[in-house]
């Protein structure tokens, strides 16, 4: 679903994508939010998350996590 690049000082991290799967109508906007946290369950800010969408609306994009460790990716479903 995606990837994230972290600075060397992060030992372990968890990345959770919500929603995990989406089904929408043609021309509807799709929004995915990734939550990135370190091994102490603290949000990781400033990390670039790469989102990859498969299927008829295949696309790729990036978003940077905010202070809450959230990165939001939005795209338009054309099919």
């Amino acid at each position: 679903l995606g990837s994230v690049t972290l600075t060397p000082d992060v030992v372990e991290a968890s990345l959770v994508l919500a929603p995990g799967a989406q089904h929408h109508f043609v021309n509807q906007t799709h929004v995915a939010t990734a939550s990135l946290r370190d091994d102490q369950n603290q949000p990781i800010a400033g990390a670039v998350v790469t989102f990859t969408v498969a299927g008829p609306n295949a696309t790729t994009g990036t978003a940077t996590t905010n202070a809450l460790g959230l990165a939001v990716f939005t795209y338009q479903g054309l099919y």
Side-chain angles (χ1 to χ4, degrees):
L1 293 177
S3 63
V4 64
T5 302
L6 301 173
T7 56
D9 58 341
V10 177
V11 176
E12 188 176 320
S14 67
L15 181 68
V16 177
L17 183 64
Q22 298 185 54
H23 300 282
H24 295 283
F25 295 106
V26 174
N27 293 321
Q28 191 172 18
T29 300
H30 305 267
V31 179
T33 302
S35 175
L36 184 62
R37 297 195 168 265
D38 67 15
D39 58 344
Q40 301 297 310
N41 202 31
Q42 297 300 307
I44 299 172
V48 176
V49 177
T50 301
F51 293 84
T52 302
V53 178
N57 294 299
T59 189
T60 300
T62 61
T64 303
T65 55
N66 62 18
L68 299 175
L70 301 176
V72 178
F73 178 66
T74 305
Y75 68 98
Q76 188 74 24
L78 301 176
Y79 304 102

